Amino acid sequence: MLMKHVMNSQLSSNTCMLLASSSVFRRQHFLIRSLGVGGGIHHNTYCANMQQHLSSVEVDAESVIRAITPVLDHSRYKGQAGKIAVIGGCREYTGAPYFAAISALKIGADLSHVFCTKDAAPVIKSYSPELIVHPILEESYSVREEDKKIISGKVLAEVDKWMERFDCLVIGPGLGRDPFLLDCVSEIITHARQSNIPIVIDGDGLFLVTNNLNLVSGYALAVLTPNVNEYKRLVQKVLSSEVDDVAGTQQLLSLSKQIGGVTVLKKGKSDLISDGDTVKSVSIYGSLRRCGGQGDILSGSVAVFLSWARQLAADPNSNLSSKNPAVLGCIAGSAILRKAASLAFSTKKRSTVTGDIIECLGKSVEDVCPAC
Amino acid sequence: MLMKHVMNSQLSSNTCMLLASSSVFRRQHFLIRSLGVGGGIHHNTYCANMQQHLSSVEVDAESVIRAITPVLDHSRYKGQAGKIAVIGGCREYTGAPYFAAISALKIGADLSHVFCTKDAAPVIKSYSPELIVHPILEESYSVREEDKKIISGKVLAEVDKWMERFDCLVIGPGLGRDPFLLDCVSEIITHARQSNIPIVIDGDGLFLVTNNLNLVSGYALAVLTPNVNEYKRLVQKVLSSEVDDVAGTQQLLSLSKQIGGVTVLKKGKSDLISDGDTVKSVSIYGSLRRCGGQGDILSGSVAVFLSWARQLAADPNSNLSSKNPAVLGCIAGSAILRKAASLAFSTKKRSTVTGDIIECLGKSVEDVCPAC
């Protein structure tokens, strides 16, 4: 019935839109079948592998990508394909926020911003004129104790000026661990949450929220993307236990549930994704190379796909309205990074660096979901 | 008769010049036919589409490009193909002025300058050694109240040293909205106008002139290049009304007329151009990608083509002397950006970024108007 309604409403539109929307509809319909319906663990053929412990379900990640990637047409204007902001970059780290922000553009976002410290800004700007870099964060060494409150207020006011324009924030790449800076970022997270802006948290952002879980607890639009060590600290803090590799899927489910349904993307040989309701696995592609920076690509990619999935989910006529956009974003981001890493490795082998993988993001998306 | 005179005068020159000039003449002659004669809306085949509202006329943009692009020959020296200056670039924005300035070079200008703040200069310089970057603008945060007058005078004196050498200024890419900086830029616009230097105004430059229309009102060598939002603010301010999409062409004509014949290039699915006398449309090519930065390419491109058209129009023997060089520059700049964006999109698809489009500017010009 819904399908009929959607199809009918499309018939009243012009031919171009009809084709585009039908294509979107077919993709979404396929996605529903790929992900299963009704929530919970989907009992498809993968369930044959279930043993005594709960198993994750390998999803058809390419179908997810096709379902959530927007159809491009001439009526679209700048910004509609996504405006992403990365909060990160300090005196010590400048590569990570650049990798996250440029990855967002290469996936297909229209605008990508970076909010970093004053020291980091000229360097990040110099990596690429494509990014809009705001030199507004401050570290303790440059702030007198008595000025902290005023400066903190200024930082927050500056971010707030932009906040509502963003479709997603990535918090953490190259953030560092300066206490004053992290206090400011805690406030930024709180404001993002008040404005219902999705947040993807990685790197030092995970250090921050692991020590202050209230910042994200219960926020359905938050995504955590821990690597092995970050996951270990999260499990210790949230579940007061050690990582259990045998019952890993169940533990991830419990972890996510315990933080109130925040989506957790646990990076590894297979990437596991849970929102406390389901556990999905992405194992396709991938590379043997473990150069630093791939996590930054992932966080930027997840941010874009999450934004796209959320746009679609907001449409009551969409078949995605019942799906968690954070989970869809993680599945798509994980698969695209793994595909790009695989492509880069096929030519660059041991010498593959993060920039090589970023250069393959466009082809990875195009191979799965042609732009036209 | 004019043709005979031109041909005769060319016969007295050397063979190379004869060939070059004849070629220019043929192009211009074709252009006259393409654009129509006698001003006003040209009643050609496109007028069949005119309904109750005034329609824009799709121009033969490629003929315009061929008519105004200078023929290269060995007698030419550095600077004759255009000296462009971009006024923009502040602590926050550095990509935009770079895009505008490098685009001018890639179209074929000989020299491209940027006048920006001291913070922005090292970053813009780092993007490319091709640009001449002047770190002379100041923002309020770096200037004490009591020093403002002296510093404002110094900024203006520095720009004035160069002013007469430029064929066109691009004002606004990455300018920011600092009040002191905008005050200085208002003075720069006034001086440019006194010196009869054409100005292309985009981005934050539009914010400035929308709030102070006297800066450009009645200046025939001014071009405004608003996007959807910037156009909306202009219409509200100038016509005290909202944007009328149904009678859009008539509204654009009225807008331009109301600002005293300033040329307005309204960016959109089709780019519409008016000087208060005619409304031309450029719809060829184009890309489905809406990444930020394309407006900066356009402003730099329009600046170069406007300079070229003005050089030709200054020749009383030229068939272009009755044409508005600002309109010709807009038509050519619009078409070349759209062609470059189309070329970049054909290979880069969703991952297309502004730098990819800039890399296609040269081929776009060459395809339409081979250098030799």
Side-chain angles (χ1 to χ4, degrees), chain B residues 101-123:
Chain B
I102 198 77
S103 295
L105 286 181
K106 297 281 185 172
I107 295 287
D110 284 343
L111 291 163
S112 194
H113 293 240
V114 176
F115 291 81
C116 61
T117 68
K118 287 172 181 164
D119 295 321
V123 176

Side-chain angles (χ1 to χ4, degrees), chain A residues 13-75:
Chain A
S13 188
N14 65 44
T15 314
C16 176
M17 284 301 287
L18 170 68
L19 288 171
S21 302
S22 296
S23 153
V24 168
F25 183 84
R26 281 198 304 276
R27 289 181 195 170
Q28 291 175 9
H29 192 69
F30 186 75
L31 171 67
I32 301 302
R33 282 183 281 130
S34 306
L35 286 174
V37 289
I41 300 298
H42 176 48
H43 292 269
N44 65 6
T45 50
Y46 293 100
C47 291
N49 298 325
M50 283 180 77
Q51 295 164 352
Q52 71 266 43
H53 293 293
L54 179 67
S55 289
S56 59
V57 175
E58 179 73 14
V59 291
D60 181 351
E62 293 195 348
S63 292
V64 172
I65 294 165
R66 281 189 284 270
I68 65 178
T69 301
V71 174
L72 299 181
D73 66 65
H74 286 288
S75 67

